[in-house]
Amino acid sequence: MPSSFGWLDADTEQRRQMLEVVDLFSDDGTVDELGTGAIRDALSHALFPGTSVLHTRLRYALFVPWLLQEAGARSSSPDTGAALRQLEIRLIGSLLAGGEKPGVIGNRARQTLKRMPSSVYWSALGAWGIRQRDVTIEGYLRRRHDLARLAARTAVSDDPETRETPPSSGLDPHLPPPPEGLLTRATFDLTAEEEEYLSDTIARATAGSLLAWLVHHQPARLPDYAWELTTLGEAPAQLAETVDHARRFHTVIHGAVLVYNLLLARQRHMDEPVAEFEADLAEWRSELQSSNALDGWDRAAWWTTVTRSNARIRPLTRTFVDQWIDLVASDPEVATSAKAAGLVTTRERQIKGGRARLVNQSALDSWSGASGLGRLDFNWSVARGHLGDLYAARGAA
Amino acid sequence: MTLVPESRVLLTDALRPPAGHRVDVVVGTTYSLDLTALLLAPLSFAVSEQVEGDVSRVDPIRLLEAVRRHTEHTTVFCQAGGIHVPSRYRSILTFVEDSVVEVTAPAEDAIFHPKLWALRFAGPGGAVSHRVVILSRNMTFDRSWDTALVLNEASDGAIDAAPAADFVRGLPARALRGLPADRTRQVDDLASTLATVRLAAPTPFTGGALLPIGLDGADVWPFPERAYRVLAISPFLTRQAVRALGHVADERTLVSRAESLDLLGSDALTGWKVDVLQRLVEVEPDGDVAESQPARSEFESGTAGLHAKTFVVDLPDGTSMTVTGSANLTGAPWGRSVEFGAKLTGPTAACGVASVLDGSPGVPGLSALLQDYHPATTAGVDDPAIETSYTLERFHRFLASNLPVTHVARLDDDRAQLSVSVEIPPFVPGMTRIWPVSLPDGHAQPLAPTTTWTLAHLNVTPFLVVETTAGDGDARVTRRCVLMGDLRGDVDSRRHDAIFDVLRSKQDVLRYLLFLLGDPSYDALLAEIAGSGEEGFHPESRGTRQDVALLEPLIRAIGRDDDALARVASLVEDLRAMPNGHELVPDDFDTLWDAVWQVHREARR
């Protein structure tokens, strides 16, 4: 086995979290400045289980198990981990040869790739029932190796009739076969058989989610946000309700991030950005009204929805969000409200301590001028891409 | 791999044997120790791969089997007074008692701080293979930014394993109590085979050396006189060590924790570009961000934040060195406290400071997660709580080092009396309470030369919690840790009870038997009969199987896996000795077993 050096993760779930955090930090727009990321993730999980901001195209959910099978089949040496890595790097070339470019994981990094598709899609494979839940990549390869050795030892004496259950390798036995030329010339297009398999598997494993519902209820158009789906009225009531909570939070919390940026701009005496953020806040206020984001919002039901997906949302986070909603509901001018400024300043300090920009000059100095302003979509853009891949395969069939 | 944020190593992968191998001997070292984390390590050693963090999700029968099988060849050396109080006591912890060895550093008032694992695996045909793992994380459930260096044996490896072998060999001499002779032999035996091994450097590094520190009292300072550029990553700092490393290069970056930098003050950081991790990359265990908490010492460093200790130096000859391990930038030279690290070398283009901070196309560098930091004051601030926490740590180390004794007396079939004798030093800081770890803290009593509890046999334990609160106002600190008492007059059925606390039905025993046999073809079946939240691929077709054929794995074990049969034999013996044992034996198993055992004995003749 090769040696390795890197940051330590306790388990595959933590590794996924860390890779996602690194990804969010590579873009100023997605930085979670006020610590509401756990709520965002809870809703993403409820609506689109298994999806990750690291995902690009859906066919990786098949590429990864195919490459695992291939690496496992080459298990004459115990070092199947290195074999998998080589296959994942070969896949980059194969996809580029097939004419793909956007969405190819590692098309820039190539040999130096760290974020392997297998680790990016591993959680999804579990959430979608394509692999057994508690199997790690290394564990799968080990098990394949052990089973191969066992088979070699017992092949002669073993009467197939005596074995009632074939040993499971950890991957779904119903997985479609890989295409010819997977490692020489591949594309992201799903075949009809693959589409059918993924649709059934994902819908079954994520039953009750918006993702599952959309797999089997293809809308005419995939809009920018999930709540703009015109077919939502036909969805089960609880789903539509969760989507509505997401819509309201998307709108309400954006004001807090705008106030945060406004306060930073004021503290840095940046006149032009100050005026821009003030204008953005006025615009946000009219969006708040036109979208009825606050009207008739059942806050108890909202928190029930959030905590159903993540029961461990901290009281501090919940208090901040509640206070912000109360403030927005009562005070129309958050741009000049001392209370709004105080709430946001306290929140930043609470979670970042001495590293808070609003209290630490060097942290303020390094502010890019706009952060955390990307609008929350709860992984809809990722799910939309996956659904688009499924729908396209249906159209082609 | 260099330390760009996307270079990740899974702890379970670092400990798991290579395919086709089993764990032979393991020695681990840590400063602080979480007993529940120690419980999970054997799961990584087991052939079965089902291991994911949360202990409450682990099948208790699988855990029992893994722990019983692996503790006898696993020895963990930890700082006396460094054992954390587990959040919940489980009777299964009784099986790790023999694995835990409390030690102290040779130097007065210094600490035992290395996080090293030395592992020997046995492969097909008796071939052995070694691995050395060097971590910055203690054996705890922290979610901090820590590093892992996993060095596997390779005949053409660039790194000599002998320093690790010497280090391991020196550990038993640091123990508070003598190790049992067979454990000492085991540790010595691991050291003797490890001594001649070569270890492969991880790509892109091309060379390196291990850095044992503090056992022999020698000074260690692996840095050159002059270099082009330095990157120092260390959560804890001292002025003197920061100054010493600062002399090495004019272009230098320090990544630390905000509270450590505040203690130092900006004057001590002149010439350094100073960074901290952005708060929101400190992922909390539950995924939500908590109030920012300062860490005062390694023992209470909390679960999040920077905890890595790694130094990258660009040398004048176009190469770079990376020093990584347990040693903070708190001593220059290192050598008082016991530490373990490694030096890796390679071309600057691939392994230098820039490759870590800036990354490469498509691979973000560490800088993306950092922010500038300027301490609030020039001279630094005092945290009065730090002095208290050192006092408490010394006090707990004293209590641990003076070997508490726990006398057990059987009262009746269920109850026992536990009397704990502790040597109390002339000066005792603050208020201290003590209680057996198996009881809730409502059973705490004030520290006294002798304290007594009445408890169930199952709860008899050598592990004692001490909790001390001292200091006033800002200096007030509470520290809790676990001490190990010498258990005398043990209740003989304690471990037996702990096993049958887990195995309560024929179904449980059947699954346990399958784990004992460790046959890979039965993993799927085990998951199925466990029926424990494991979702199959087609849940609607899943039924509960009571009629698992044990015949096949038993026969396969004959002549192939004597160890497996011995494990089963020992369980059968235990079951037959129990008054209600027959209620737990799976139907028809007795007849089957007697036949298998007879064939096994004949085959060995």
Side-chain angles (χ1 to χ4, degrees):
Chain A
M1 286 178 80
S3 296
S4 54
F5 178 46
W7 297 98
L8 184 63
D9 291 322
D11 52 41
T12 51
E13 180 56 22
Q14 191 191 8
R15 181 174 61 188
R16 181 191 60 79
Q17 273 185 352
M18 299 312 289
L19 288 176
E20 285 187 2
V21 163
V22 173
D23 193 69
L24 291 172
F25 267 82
S26 62
D27 174 1
D28 280 334
T30 51
V31 174
D32 170 33
E33 294 286 3
L34 297 177
T36 55
I39 297 175
R40 172 199 66 209
D41 293 347
L43 289 170
S44 310
H45 180 74
L47 294 169
F48 312 112
T51 58
S52 159
V53 292
L54 304 170
H55 288 178
T56 59
R57 300 293 295 270
L58 184 58
R59 209 177 185 206
Y60 273 112
L62 296 171
F63 288 147
V64 169
W66 288 332
L67 296 186
L68 271 172
Q69 287 176 332
E70 177 72 22
R74 297 177 177 190
S75 62
S76 52
S77 86
D79 192 10
T80 43
L84 177 64
R85 188 183 160 80
Q86 279 316 309
L87 291 172
E88 293 192 76
I89 288 168
R90 276 183 65 188
L91 181 65
I92 300 171
S94 172
L95 284 165
L96 294 174
E100 302 286 1
K101 186 141 189 212
V104 176
I105 296 176
N107 78 62
R108 291 176 67 211
R110 299 292 194 104
Q111 292 289 334
T112 62
L113 182 63
K114 310 283 180 203
R115 188 196 293 183
M116 308 309 278
S118 52
S119 52
V120 167
Y121 281 81
W122 198 246
S123 305
L125 296 183
W128 296 341
I130 299 173
R131 65 161 169 94
Q132 273 174 9
R133 274 188 185 267
D134 48 8
V135 179
T136 61
I137 295 169
E138 176 81 11
Y140 166 84
L141 294 170
R142 263 189 74 86
R143 191 192 274 192
R144 279 287 299 254
H145 180 89
D146 289 347
L147 287 172
R149 289 204 321 153
L150 187 72
R153 197 165 43 229
T154 54
V156 187
S157 64
D158 221 2
D159 174 359
E161 295 292 311
T162 63
R163 167 154 288 149
E164 294 170 19
T165 315
S168 158
S169 66
L171 288 178
D172 187 353
H174 306 282
L175 195 72
E180 290 285 317
L182 172 65
L183 289 169
T184 48
R185 204 177 177 80
T187 72
F188 286 125
D189 300 335
L190 297 168
T191 65
E193 184 193 4
E194 292 164 11
E195 181 278 316
E196 194 181 336
Y197 168 75
L198 286 173
S199 290
D200 287 350
T201 308
I202 293 173
R204 182 167 49 216
T206 68
S209 70
L210 186 61
L211 179 64
W213 188 75
L214 286 171
V215 164
H216 288 313
H217 297 83
Q218 181 174 343
R221 196 179 68 84
L222 289 169
D224 290 344
Y225 291 109
W227 41 90
E228 292 168 358
L229 282 163
T230 51
T231 51
L232 267 184
E234 299 153 32
Q238 198 191 346
L239 260 187
E241 196 197 314
T242 305
V243 175
D244 192 54
H245 286 311
R247 175 186 72 88
R248 291 170 185 268
F249 185 66
H250 154 97
T251 308
V252 170
I253 202 67
H254 187 58
V257 185
L258 281 171
V259 167
Y260 174 69
N261 280 274
L262 173 66
L263 294 174
L264 291 172
R266 276 195 194 136
Q267 208 153 317
R268 282 240 303 245
H269 306 291
M270 302 159 74
D271 295 344
E272 209 170 306
V274 166
E276 279 168 26
F277 286 128
E278 281 169 350
D280 289 347
L281 272 168
E283 200 176 308
W284 166 75
R285 175 57 72 174
S286 53
E287 180 193 330
L288 200 63
Q289 267 141 16
S290 64
S291 64
N292 298 321
L294 287 171
D295 300 347
W297 191 3
D298 181 345
R299 301 257 291 274
W302 146 250
W303 285 115
T304 307
T305 302
V306 171
T307 50
R308 200 164 35 226
S309 287
N310 182 357
R312 297 189 289 185
I313 300 284
R314 289 177 192 266
L316 278 176
T317 304
R318 189 169 162 160
T319 305
F320 165 68
V321 171
D322 267 338
Q323 286 177 339
W324 175 255
I325 299 173
D326 290 342
L327 182 103
V328 170
S330 68
D331 184 342
E333 274 308 324
V334 291
T336 52
S337 156
K339 219 172 148 190
L343 188 57
V344 167
T345 307
T346 307
R347 175 63 177 170
E348 197 201 17
R349 183 165 201 161
Q350 185 179 66
I351 56 175
K352 300 185 196 165
R355 282 167 284 176
R357 291 201 173 100
L358 288 167
V359 297
N360 183 306
Q361 183 62 40
S362 66
L364 179 67
D365 292 345
S366 61
W367 177 55
S368 68
S371 60
L373 290 166
R375 299 297 295 261
L376 297 180
D377 79 349
F378 310 100
N379 282 6
W380 163 249
S381 56
V382 177
R384 185 179 56 190
H386 291 344
L387 290 165
D389 282 343
L390 289 176
Y391 299 162
R394 289 175 199 169
Chain B
M1 304 196 308
T2 59
L3 276 191
V4 293
E6 291 185 357
S7 288
R8 318 288 316 178
V9 176
L10 273 186
L11 182 58
T12 48
D13 288 350
L15 299 182
R16 177 176 292 135
H21 289 63
R22 65 177 173 78
V23 165
D24 186 26
V25 184
V26 179
V27 169
T29 69
T30 179
Y31 164 65
S32 59
L33 172 66
D34 183 307
L35 293 170
T36 313
L38 175 60
L39 213 48
L40 284 179
L43 278 176
S44 308
F45 304 155
V47 172
S48 323
E49 69 285 343
Q50 277 85 347
V51 201
E52 291 283 25
D54 189 355
V55 74
S56 63
R57 279 177 44 215
V58 175
D59 176 352
I61 294 175
R62 186 185 285 273
L63 184 64
L64 175 67
E65 198 279 322
V67 168
R68 285 197 74 205
R69 191 190 301 191
H70 293 291
T71 48
E72 60 195 39
H73 51 233
T74 305
T75 309
V76 171
F77 297 87
C78 78
Q79 167 68 50
I83 305 176
H84 285 278
V85 181
S87 53
R88 180 166 92 80
Y89 182 77
R90 296 152 214 273
S91 54
I92 191 176
L93 282 172
T94 184
F95 296 106
V96 300
E97 288 163 14
D98 299 339
S99 289
V100 179
V101 180
E102 294 169 295
V103 296
T104 52
E108 178 79 10
D109 222 18
I111 56 172
F112 180 84
H113 195 245
K115 301 105 175 55
L116 166 77
W117 287 88
L119 305 102
R120 185 170 73 200
F121 305 114
V128 297
S129 161
H130 297 77
R131 182 184 297 157
V132 171
V133 180
I134 296 164
L135 305 175
S136 69
R137 182 176 301 167
N138 292 302
M139 217 171 289
T140 57
F141 287 112
D142 290 352
R143 286 285 181 126
S144 35
W145 280 80
D146 271 302
T147 56
L149 172 62
V150 181
L151 298 171
N152 280 300
E153 178 173 346
S155 52
D156 58 349
I159 301 171
D160 181 6
D166 292 341
F167 190 85
V168 164
R169 193 179 292 112
L171 291 171
R174 301 307 320 151
L176 295 179
R177 305 173 174 80
L179 267 69
D182 55 337
R183 284 226 177 232
T184 309
R185 251 196 317 277
Q186 217 176 51
V187 173
D188 280 347
D189 188 50
L190 171 62
S192 69
T193 56
L194 185 60
T196 56
V197 161
R198 305 294 301 179
L199 302 165
T203 50
F205 296 98
T206 51
L210 300 179
L211 293 174
I213 301 166
L215 274 190
D216 58 3
D219 285 349
V220 177
W221 191 246
F223 305 106
E225 290 274 310
R226 285 300 287 170
Y228 283 137
R229 198 175 174 189
V230 175
L231 165 65
I233 303 171
S234 175
F236 301 103
L237 306 167
T238 62
R239 287 196 183 88
Q240 174 250 355
V242 170
R243 193 184 314 120
L245 190 63
H247 291 316
V248 169
D250 295 333
E251 188 177 359
R252 47 189 195 262
T253 303
L254 176 63
V255 182
S256 187
R257 300 178 70 115
E259 59 269 26
S260 301
L261 296 164
D262 283 343
L263 288 173
L264 240 59
S266 55
D267 281 354
L269 300 166
T270 309
W272 289 88
K273 176 176 174 355
V274 180
D275 282 326
V276 292
L277 276 182
Q278 299 206 38
R279 167 65 178 138
L280 293 158
V281 303
E282 299 178 354
V283 174
E284 310 279 336
D286 57 5
D288 194 3
V289 61
E291 206 153 356
S292 175
Q293 295 283 357
R296 297 198 179 89
S297 71
E298 188 95 350
F299 188 73
E300 51 166 276
S301 63
T303 59
L306 183 76
H307 196 250
K309 308 105 172 39
T310 294
F311 308 88
V312 185
V313 183
D314 293 348
L315 304 168
D317 63 356
T319 67
S320 291
M321 61 185 269
T322 293
V323 174
T324 185
S326 66
N328 281 292
L329 193 52
T330 49
W334 291 319
R336 268 184 55 74
S337 290
V338 181
E339 312 276 1
F340 201 91
K343 178 174 91 170
L344 299 169
T345 52
T348 298
C351 317
V353 174
S355 75
V356 177
L357 287 177
D358 308 334
S360 53
V363 182
L366 190 58
S367 290
L369 306 185
L370 301 176
Q371 68 178 61
D372 286 351
Y373 192 82
H374 290 283
T377 64
T378 52
V381 291
D382 277 336
D383 182 346
I386 291 183
E387 203 38 57
T388 316
S389 71
Y390 284 146
T391 305
L392 296 188
E393 188 172 334
R394 269 195 298 270
F395 174 51
H396 287 170
R397 197 154 64 221
F398 178 92
L399 293 178
S401 307
N402 283 282
L403 307 179
V405 175
T406 302
H407 285 282
V408 188
R410 186 190 155 90
L411 294 178
D412 54 36
D413 278 354
D414 301 321
R415 298 179 312 145
Q417 188 180 63
L418 209 66
S419 304
V420 174
S421 309
V422 187
E423 189 183 330
I424 299 179
F427 172 72
V428 176
M431 294 294 297
T432 299
R433 309 190 296 158
I434 183 166
W435 65 97
V437 71
S438 52
L439 301 179
D441 66 356
H443 293 261
Q445 300 186 34
L447 183 68
T450 305
T451 30
T452 308
W453 291 266
T454 299
L455 35 62
H457 290 183
L458 196 62
N459 285 332
V460 169
T461 176
F463 295 122
L464 305 163
V465 182
V466 285
E467 181 197 86
T468 307
T469 302
D472 295 307
D474 288 346
R476 191 171 180 81
V477 173
T478 297
R479 185 183 196 272
R480 265 186 186 199
C481 74
V482 170
L483 312 177
M484 264 183 103
D486 261 334
L487 207 52
R488 300 194 182 157
D490 204 350
V491 182
D492 51 8
S493 64
R494 193 162 61 98
R495 296 208 166 161
H496 186 270
D497 291 349
I499 295 176
F500 293 102
D501 188 37
V502 177
L503 303 181
R504 293 179 179 186
S505 67
K506 288 181 183 177
Q507 191 85 346
D508 291 345
V509 171
L510 181 60
R511 284 170 50 222
Y512 192 65
L513 282 166
L514 286 169
F515 284 126
L516 290 178
L517 286 165
D519 194 312
S521 69
Y522 278 79
D523 270 2
L525 210 56
L526 280 165
E528 212 174 288
I529 53 175
S532 58
E534 165 86 8
E535 285 165 43
F537 294 111
H538 298 283
E540 63 277 10
S541 67
R542 198 181 83 207
T544 308
R545 298 172 57 97
Q546 309 257 4
D547 56 338
V548 178
L550 275 169
L551 181 63
E552 205 182 325
L554 278 172
I555 290 177
R556 213 171 6 228
I558 298 175
R560 172 179 76 93
D561 195 348
D562 289 351
D563 292 347
L565 288 180
R567 289 192 291 267
V568 175
S570 143
L571 176 72
V572 170
E573 216 169 278
D574 281 350
L575 279 168
R576 287 180 177 170
M578 283 175 74
N580 62 336
H582 61 279
E583 293 167 22
L584 292 173
V585 177
D587 299 334
D588 302 329
F589 177 75
D590 267 334
T591 329
L592 174 62
W593 172 249
D594 287 340
V596 166
W597 191 241
Q598 197 174 342
V599 175
H600 166 67
R601 284 170 51 185
E602 277 167 17
R604 284 176 51 132
R605 235 170 244 158

